[in-house]
Amino acid sequence: MRTSPHLVKPTPLQIVMLKVAAALLPGIAAYVWVFGAGILLQLLLATVTAIATEAACLKLRKYPIKPFITDGSAIVTAWLLALSLPPLSAWWMVVLATIIAIALAKHLYGGLGQNPFNPAMVGFAVMIVSFPAQMSRWNAPLGIAGVDLTAWQQFGYIFTGNLPNGLAFDTLASATPLDAVKTALMQSHSMAEIFSGAIFQAGFANWLPSQMGLIAAAYLLGGLFLLQQRVIQWHLPVAFLAVLAGMSGLFYLIDPAHYTSPSFHLFSGAAMLGAFFIVTDPVSGPTTPRGRLIYAGLIGLLTWLIRTYGGYPDGVAFAVLIMNIATPFIDQYTQPAVFGRKKGAQQGGKA
């Protein structure tokens, strides 16, 4: 029998995860173009570890393995986590972070659909708190690095920590734009001094709006695809980006010498990745439209506060985890009234 147009058959989870993975491909391609092929090995390591950890946890819990392994959720978590780590992170860091994300942040709370925190962000947060020095070791983008490593040289460094011809990592290392700006502002430099400093003179001034914008635009393209496919709803990315841009724009207008512009915040760090792929996690976020706006808007506010005043260059991961804690309260106080009953009467009946 044909159903009413108001009844919609739910999309299988495998199809949803496949669309999310497909939406990440433009960002991955841009990432490879800017930083090199090392990220491909990181994605492979994270994927294999996520599948193996998922299978081990399911076996320990006496759950069927195949249905959960093939739903794609573990792979998407692995990809988001790998894309959040430095591209030349040691192999053991990727493996450890993925085990934490799948075993502790997901299965410890009951598995798929039960986790109160975003698993990928839990893995990232544990690593940056436990290994801050290693998590800050980003290689410079290809084209402005002292030496551009080939794919095999990047793979070798990930597994062995050794560089060819006696090179040191300092030859490749570069502060991220967010880290460079935060460090300079803490030393009471003005924005004019920062953007005319050694890092930007070395190529960042030309690299930032092009390659960095390329990665952000690629994630934006993937996010628009998810919106078009109705995999995610507009409330979360729009509220997050609007508040992040609004706060940075307000303070930039007040004091442009000591605050960065909205475009800098939107097109650097994990802003676009977070807006469309992390903040939109359906399990750890609110379920009501008004709740989603509040939730994502507060994540945007916390991200700006952590970036500006906190101890870490980027604040997306910690902002998401903080608001994950508040999700039950947001849901409780943003539930619409039951059809046919006044909201006050409904609340009075509960009392």
Side-chain angles (χ1 to χ4, degrees):
M1 295 178 63
R2 297 187 63 182
T3 63
S4 163
H6 301 291
L7 298 178
V8 180
K9 184 179 180 181
T11 305
L13 180 61
Q14 292 90 338
I15 301 299
V16 173
M17 293 296 106
L18 180 62
K19 290 180 179 179
V20 174
L24 283 169
L25 292 179
I28 293 172
Y31 207 111
V32 172
W33 178 266
V34 173
F35 289 106
I39 187 61
L40 298 178
L41 179 58
Q42 308 288 34
L43 289 167
L44 177 61
L45 287 171
T47 300
V48 173
T49 304
I51 293 174
T53 306
E54 182 100 333
C57 291
L58 290 169
K59 186 172 182 179
L60 288 173
R61 298 176 60 204
K62 296 181 172 55
Y63 275 67
I65 295 177
K66 184 177 179 180
F68 293 96
I69 287 294
T70 57
D71 63 18
S73 61
I75 295 176
V76 169
T77 297
W79 285 19
L80 292 174
L81 182 54
L83 291 170
S84 302
L85 299 174
L88 294 185
S89 299
W91 66 270
W92 59 267
M93 292 181 63
V94 180
V95 171
L96 179 59
T98 307
I99 292 174
I100 291 171
I102 300 297
L104 299 184
K106 182 178 179 181
H107 283 279
L108 184 65
Y109 292 98
L112 182 65
Q114 305 297 320
N115 50 286
F117 300 99
N118 185 298
M121 293 301 95
V122 171
F124 175 85
V126 170
M127 297 305 291
I128 199 171
V129 170
S130 303
F131 308 101
Q134 291 87 340
M135 289 290 287
S136 64
R137 292 171 65 84
W138 283 75
N139 56 298
L142 300 180
I144 71 167
V147 177
D148 289 339
L149 299 181
T150 65
W152 290 112
Q153 289 171 336
Q154 288 193 351
F155 296 165
Y157 180 78
I158 291 170
F159 278 115
T160 67
N162 297 323
L163 293 172
N165 303 322
L167 292 174
F169 187 82
D170 290 342
T171 309
L172 309 173
S174 174
T176 64
L178 284 173
D179 195 26
V181 170
K182 177 181 285 292
T183 302
L185 287 177
M186 291 176 64
Q187 298 172 353
S188 300
H189 292 293
S190 68
M191 292 306 302
E193 293 172 328
I194 294 170
F195 282 94
S196 63
I199 291 178
F200 293 92
Q201 288 178 354
F204 248 22
N206 295 324
W207 174 80
L208 181 60
S210 55
Q211 278 91 332
M212 180 66 80
L214 176 65
I215 296 176
Y219 286 136
L220 174 60
L221 179 64
L224 294 177
F225 169 75
L226 294 180
L227 287 171
Q228 188 272 330
Q229 293 291 311
R230 298 186 179 181
V231 174
I232 61 176
Q233 296 183 339
W234 65 268
H235 309 77
L236 293 164
V238 169
F240 171 78
L241 294 175
V243 173
L244 179 59
M247 288 298 300
S248 57
L250 175 62
F251 280 81
Y252 181 72
L253 289 174
I254 294 173
D255 187 3
H258 294 94
Y259 293 96
T260 50
S261 65
S263 61
F264 183 86
H265 278 278
L266 294 178
F267 291 97
S268 60
M272 289 297 173
L273 178 65
F276 294 100
F277 297 95
I278 296 173
V279 175
T280 54
D281 177 27
V283 177
S284 57
T287 58
T288 65
R290 188 156 57 99
R292 294 189 187 104
L293 291 173
I294 297 171
Y295 170 81
L298 289 175
I299 291 177
L301 174 61
L302 288 172
T303 297
W304 181 82
L305 288 172
I306 294 171
R307 285 182 172 186
T308 306
Y309 302 109
Y312 295 99
D314 204 349
V316 173
F318 292 103
V320 168
L321 294 176
I322 291 171
M323 290 310 302
N324 285 162
I325 300 174
T327 293
F329 301 99
I330 295 174
D331 267 339
Q332 179 180 353
Y333 291 105
T334 58
Q335 288 293 336
V338 177
F339 181 73
R341 298 185 63 183
K342 293 183 179 179
K343 191 170 184 179
Q346 180 184 353
Q347 294 175 344
K350 288 182 179 180

